Amino acid sequence: MAQLWGGRFTKETDKDVYLFNASISYDKRLYQQDIEGSIAHAIMLEKQGILTLEEKDEIVKGLSTIRKRLEEGSLTISEEYEDIHSFVEATLTGMIGDAGKKLHTGRSRNDQVALDMKMYVRSEIINIDEELKAFQVILLRVMEENLETYMPGFTHLQKAQPVTLAHHMGAYFEMLRRDRSRLSDIYERLNYCPLGAGALAGTTYPLDRGYTASMLGFEGPTLNSMDSVSDRDYVIELLSALSTIMMHLSRFSEEVILWNSNEYGFVEIDDAFSTGSSIMPQKKNPDIAELVRGKTGRVYGHLMAMLTTMKGLPLAYNKDMQEDKEGAFDAIDTVKECLVMFMQMVDSMKFRKDVMAKSAMRGFTNATDAADYLVKHGVPFRDAHGIIGQLVLKCIEKDKSIEELSLEELKEISDVFEADIYDAVSLKTCVERRLTTGAPGISAMRGVLAEYRKYLKG
Ligand code: ARG
């Protein structure tokens, strides 16, 4: 057992209590942030005349050596320490002696852990944003290749109107765009430095908080020391943004699972991204998509856990807040892993264009366009709706699509139909006439793709 406190205690901590209280088994992943924050703190202490130049130099050199040795593997984080802060400080003092003991001047583990966690969240926001962007690059490629790949668009999971694969993928591109923008909002809001808040009430040492804040890449120092050590809003916001990313991936997964089924047959998942059955030789299962859908639950769970942990906490720091880490770390790891797996699966997936087009043709997805044809020839829309309803019924009886009926058969329903009806209800016409911004028509889509290209460059 190795801890930073103990002066006022007359008895050793119970071993199980010690283990229950310790966080090093998981907060060790904050070692880089802890060392970087400590280096900035030491430099500021020297600038303010609180440490001598020699002491600062020894501390900075010692901390840099610890970081280097941890990275090389010649030093490992020993779990006998209570947390990462204790490990770094004790290792430093072991290396350089008394100067190491001065590092904690004007600082508490409360502002230290708040700083470490903020810096960690900041760097993971950047990592996740990069993955989201890489996924968007893949989606853009699929869109560019499929501007004329017709497929049914659905409402209520029933065929509704024809769209293109490019258009369908574009919906996910938009979701990821919002996901990225949410992450960037969170970054901006969290980017104020809590270091110097002390345990809760600041400190009597003349710290220059603005200086440490700018050394560590923050916009400035936080403005209330009690809030600084007890704010975990940014963890909750991150978990909420990660939950939304998972919700998007889960919806996409659900579609891939449906599209991969025998009934749809819209896609073929690459062999490298599917698995077989131990008993049924014909099986090729969409396990990756199912796992991504399944893992969504645990990320939501971490969000609920953190909201619940925080809800009754009086100001300022309480040990409850140590519970922010495992959930946040797991959510971050899960989202990154899911994004990588999922985007590679999409990248290697084959879209069966013929099956998609056939499916769009068989589902009366051009019924609205057939009604529009009548409207263009002077029939009021409400009547046209009824006429096409009868037409669909006739098609169902004959097991044919609208364009498979002869002109005579069409005229039996309404004599407004002429030979140009066939062109008017072809998939190509149905899609290409939809040219409002955001619609699937090719020239509308081209305009959107140009914007996406610009956005990805920016
Ligand atoms: N391991 C602690 C945490 O993660 C560090 C802060 C400890 N502060 C304290 N007063 N015990 O929250």
Side-chain angles (χ1 to χ4, degrees):
M1 293 195 267
Q3 61 225 17
L4 296 174
W5 39 272
R8 61 105 63 215
F9 289 78
T10 52
K11 221 167 112 180
E12 283 268 303
T13 319
D14 176 87
K15 190 155 175 293
D16 290 337
V17 170
Y18 184 82
L19 290 175
F20 184 67
N21 190 49
S23 53
I24 192 146
S25 63
Y26 46 88
D27 70 16
K28 62 182 174 188
R29 77 157 82 184
L30 298 175
Y31 80 89
Q32 283 170 328
Q33 289 75 18
D34 200 71
I35 291 173
E36 198 186 330
S38 292
I39 289 176
H41 185 62
I43 292 173
M44 180 276 296
L45 288 178
E46 189 273 328
K47 179 177 97 65
Q48 298 303 95
I50 303 165
L51 288 180
T52 66
L53 191 61
E54 296 72 54
E55 287 166 339
K56 183 265 289 179
D57 285 344
E58 276 186 84
I59 291 176
V60 172
K61 216 172 126 216
L63 288 170
S64 307
T65 309
I66 294 175
R67 178 165 54 194
K68 194 164 151 262
R69 289 190 54 203
L70 284 172
E71 253 135 47
E72 289 168 357
S74 60
L75 175 68
T76 45
I77 297 171
S78 152
E79 295 202 4
E80 69 181 293
Y81 291 92
E82 182 185 337
D83 53 29
I84 188 63
H85 327 295
S86 319
F87 167 79
V88 172
E89 190 181 318
T91 311
L92 179 70
T93 305
M95 264 168 70
I96 67 169
D98 279 353
K101 295 187 189 161
K102 294 193 176 176
L103 170 63
H104 211 51
T105 313
R107 188 174 73 168
S108 154
R109 278 184 296 162
N110 297 353
D111 56 344
Q112 191 177 356
V113 76
L115 172 70
D116 291 3
M117 198 59 186
K118 274 194 166 181
M119 294 206 299
Y120 181 79
V121 166
R122 250 183 3 185
S123 74
E124 289 299 346
I125 282 180
I126 291 170
N127 293 337
I128 295 168
D129 184 66
E130 273 167 20
E131 300 297 356
L132 290 168
K133 186 174 178 181
F135 194 8
Q136 286 182 316
V137 169
I138 292 171
L139 289 178
L140 187 65
R141 199 252 316 143
V142 177
M143 290 166 78
E144 278 164 343
E145 290 170 3
N146 290 286
L147 285 165
E148 290 178 275
T149 304
Y150 303 118
M151 66 180 287
F154 298 82
T155 62
H156 313 274
L157 208 51
Q158 304 210 44
K159 291 179 194 176
Q161 291 175 342
V163 293
T164 63
L165 180 58
H167 192 241
H168 198 117
M169 291 294 122
Y172 287 104
F173 192 99
E174 284 291 319
M175 291 179 225
L176 300 186
R177 216 151 67 103
R178 290 194 296 275
D179 288 332
R180 294 183 65 195
S181 133
R182 251 184 294 275
L183 289 177
S184 125
D185 289 347
I186 297 168
Y187 190 108
E188 224 177 87
R189 211 168 10 259
L190 78 77
N191 203 23
Y192 292 87
C193 185
L195 192 61
L200 77 161
T203 164
T204 54
Y205 295 98
L207 306 187
D208 183 346
R209 294 193 56 214
Y211 186 65
T212 29
S214 81
M215 255 190 290
L216 295 168
F218 288 95
E219 278 300 308
T222 49
L223 297 183
N224 182 291
S225 61
M226 291 177 81
D227 181 57
S228 307
V229 293
S230 58
D231 166 30
R232 293 295 182 273
D233 289 6
Y234 61 97
V235 177
I236 291 172
E237 286 191 56
L238 175 76
L239 289 169
S240 162
L242 297 183
S243 295
T244 307
I245 294 173
M246 289 305 292
M247 179 267 289
H248 292 153
L249 291 183
S250 186
R251 292 182 73 177
F252 204 161
S253 295
E254 175 66 14
E255 297 209 300
V256 169
I257 293 162
L258 282 173
W259 293 355
N260 178 67
S261 67
N262 294 336
E263 286 70 17
Y264 277 72
F266 285 6
V267 296
E268 200 174 314
I269 298 175
D270 193 83
D271 278 1
F273 288 89
S274 42
T275 56
S277 155
S278 58
I279 173 167
M280 298 166 283
Q282 82 281 15
K283 285 285 193 134
K284 197 173 149 189
N285 298 327
D287 295 40
I288 300 301
E290 289 173 4
L291 267 175
V292 169
R293 188 177 60 182
K295 283 176 191 286
T296 303
R298 68 199 268 175
V299 177
Y300 289 7
H302 294 314
L303 170 62
M304 272 323 292
M306 197 54 204
L307 281 166
T308 313
T309 294
M310 294 302 292
K311 80 176 264 293
L313 297 190
L315 292 177
Y317 179 83
N318 300 269
K319 192 67 174 238
D320 314 46
M321 281 151 59
Q322 177 165 290
E323 285 292 304
D324 63 350
K325 291 177 199 62
E326 284 168 291
F329 294 163
D330 183 67
I332 289 166
D333 294 347
T334 303
V335 166
K336 286 200 295 192
E337 188 185 31
C338 288
L339 273 169
V340 170
M341 286 290 128
F342 198 83
M343 78 174 94
Q344 289 177 5
M345 181 189 68
V346 171
D347 200 25
S348 60
M349 203 157 72
K350 294 236 166 13
F351 295 95
R352 296 174 61 192
K353 303 184 185 192
D354 52 330
V355 179
M356 287 179 161
K358 222 178 266 161
S359 165
M361 255 141 67
R362 293 306 295 182
F364 305 109
T365 59
N366 52 3
T368 315
D369 299 81
D372 288 345
Y373 172 92
L374 295 177
V375 171
K376 259 183 225 129
H377 290 78
V379 181
F381 182 78
R382 197 42 63 209
D383 293 341
H385 188 284
I387 294 169
I388 302 300
Q390 289 168 30
L391 187 64
V392 167
L393 205 59
K394 184 172 182 142
C395 287
I396 293 170
E397 276 165 19
K398 300 191 173 239
D399 192 25
K400 281 182 174 173
S401 62
I402 295 176
E403 58 276 31
E404 281 168 352
L405 293 181
S406 67
L407 191 54
E408 289 70 53
E409 287 172 310
L410 288 167
K411 278 188 176 291
E412 281 166 24
I413 302 277
S414 164
D415 58 11
V416 179
F417 288 122
E418 295 300 339
D420 60 350
I421 176 67
Y422 294 107
D423 182 52
V425 300
S426 78
L427 273 184
K428 193 170 160 65
T429 312
C430 291
V431 171
E432 282 185 2
R433 285 223 187 111
R434 292 184 150 76
L435 290 174
T436 40
T437 303
I442 292 199
S443 60
M445 279 297 296
R446 286 218 169 99
V448 169
L449 288 189
E451 288 205 28
Y452 287 171
R453 269 180 232 116
K454 233 193 289 161
Y455 157 83
L456 286 175
K457 271 193 203 123

